[in-house]
């Protein structure tokens, strides 16, 4: 069962081998921890988790095949006690929100010091959350922002690809006037005055990626 071993058993999920190796080196140096498995994408993470049932999982967010949020969701749906820490270079408030909403118990950036990483693993292993103050502040900001609808997220994604209103209307098979209404609501919710600012803010917050 999860959390019953005397040594904290860790699964590392990241699509970069050099990152996995670096994390494994740091973790295996701690006498109270051991890396039991590594995975390079979300699909492999789900399989590894089912096989090894680690005490703590370090999960990257953006990976090929299947990303971190989808993998966290799948693992937490199947294994309720799963203790997962998002470990990523992305600190946009939408990335943080999605990771924690999916079921992660912690959120750590890859520029964290080794001691902070080990401390986060211990805290999550003990059943606590680990959210650094700067991450918590962005999460609070995200919670206070108006929610974009699924259709607005679709339109925003196409805006980020440089599509005009008529292009978006064609792509989504809706009227151009409807697209304009969506765009206006998006600008209002993001607190900006034009499409370029909307895309910049959306990328910065992690709502869309280019």
């Amino acid at each position: 069962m999860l959390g019953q071993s005397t040594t904290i058993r860790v699964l590392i999920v990241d699509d970069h081998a050099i990152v996995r190796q670096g994390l494994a080196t740091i973790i295996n140096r701690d006498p109270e921890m051991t890396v039991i498995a590594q995975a390079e994408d979300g699909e492999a993470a789900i399989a590894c988790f089912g096989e090894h049932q680690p005490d703590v999982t370090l999960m990257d967010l953006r990976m090929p095949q299947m990303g971190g949020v989808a993998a966290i969701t799948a693992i937490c749906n199947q294994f309720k006690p799963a203790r997962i820490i998002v470990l990523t270079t992305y600190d946009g408030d939408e990335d943080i929100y999605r990771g924690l909403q999916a079921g992660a118990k912690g959120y750590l950036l890859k520029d964290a010091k080794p001691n902070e990483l080990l401390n986060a693993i211990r805290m999550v292993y003990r059943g606590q959350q680990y959210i650094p103050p700067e991450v918590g502040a962005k999460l609070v900001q995200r919670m206070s922002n108006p929610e974009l609808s699924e259709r607005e997220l679709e339109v925003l994604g196409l805006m980020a690809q440089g599509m005009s209103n008529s292009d978006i209307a064609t792509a989504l098979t809706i009227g151009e006037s409807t697209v304009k209404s969506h765009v206006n609501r998006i600008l209002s919710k993001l607190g900006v005055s034009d499409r370029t600012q909307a895309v910049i803010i959306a990328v910065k917050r992690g709502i869309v990626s280019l």
Side-chain angles (χ1 to χ4, degrees):
M1 293 295 294
L2 294 170
Q4 296 302 306
S5 57
T6 53
T7 302
I8 302 174
R9 301 158 61 254
V10 181
L11 165 64
I12 298 172
V13 185
D14 195 289
D15 59 329
H16 294 104
I18 195 166
V19 173
R20 296 197 304 271
Q21 187 57 52
L23 291 170
T25 299
I26 293 169
I27 293 166
N28 285 330
R29 280 182 187 153
D30 190 302
E32 297 179 354
M33 303 180 190
T34 183
V35 175
I36 56 164
Q38 299 182 26
E40 71 280 357
D41 60 45
E43 291 180 355
I46 295 169
C48 278
F49 195 101
E51 180 180 353
H52 299 282
Q53 296 202 25
D55 297 314
V56 177
T57 299
L58 299 178
M59 182 78 71
D60 192 13
L61 274 188
R62 301 188 189 179
M63 300 175 288
Q65 311 305 324
M66 178 188 287
V69 170
I72 293 169
T73 301
I75 290 170
C76 289
N77 282 342
Q78 190 173 356
F79 302 94
K80 299 301 181 187
R83 299 180 182 120
I84 301 173
I85 300 172
V86 171
L87 184 63
T88 181
T89 55
Y90 300 100
D91 65 348
D93 58 12
E94 196 69 20
D95 292 312
I96 297 166
Y97 176 75
R98 288 174 181 165
L100 296 175
Q101 188 182 46
K105 300 296 189 289
Y107 198 104
L108 199 60
L109 298 179
K110 287 182 180 176
D111 61 1
K113 299 287 192 294
N115 283 347
E116 186 180 3
L117 169 67
L118 299 175
N119 183 44
I121 291 172
R122 285 191 178 88
M123 286 183 65
V124 170
Y125 173 72
R126 292 195 296 261
Q128 300 170 272
Q129 279 196 325
Y130 186 85
I131 301 174
E134 66 275 14
V135 171
K138 290 194 174 184
L139 183 60
V140 170
Q141 179 185 351
R142 166 60 178 81
M143 298 299 284
S144 65
N145 286 326
E147 191 90 26
L148 292 177
S149 69
E150 286 298 319
R151 179 62 91 185
E152 287 163 358
L153 288 171
E154 282 183 302
V155 171
L156 184 55
L158 297 177
M159 285 167 56
Q161 295 176 30
M163 286 192 181
S164 66
N165 285 354
S166 60
D167 292 334
I168 294 172
T170 301
L172 299 179
T173 60
I174 57 178
E176 192 170 342
S177 61
T178 303
V179 174
K180 288 179 181 177
S181 296
H182 286 312
V183 171
N184 287 335
R185 281 198 296 272
I186 290 167
L187 298 183
S188 175
K189 289 182 178 182
L190 295 181
V192 296
S193 57
D194 62 53
R195 295 165 66 103
T196 301
Q197 288 178 314
V199 171
I200 292 171
I201 290 292
V203 171
K204 186 176 180 181
R205 287 181 48 193
I207 299 172
V208 300
S209 55
L210 299 178

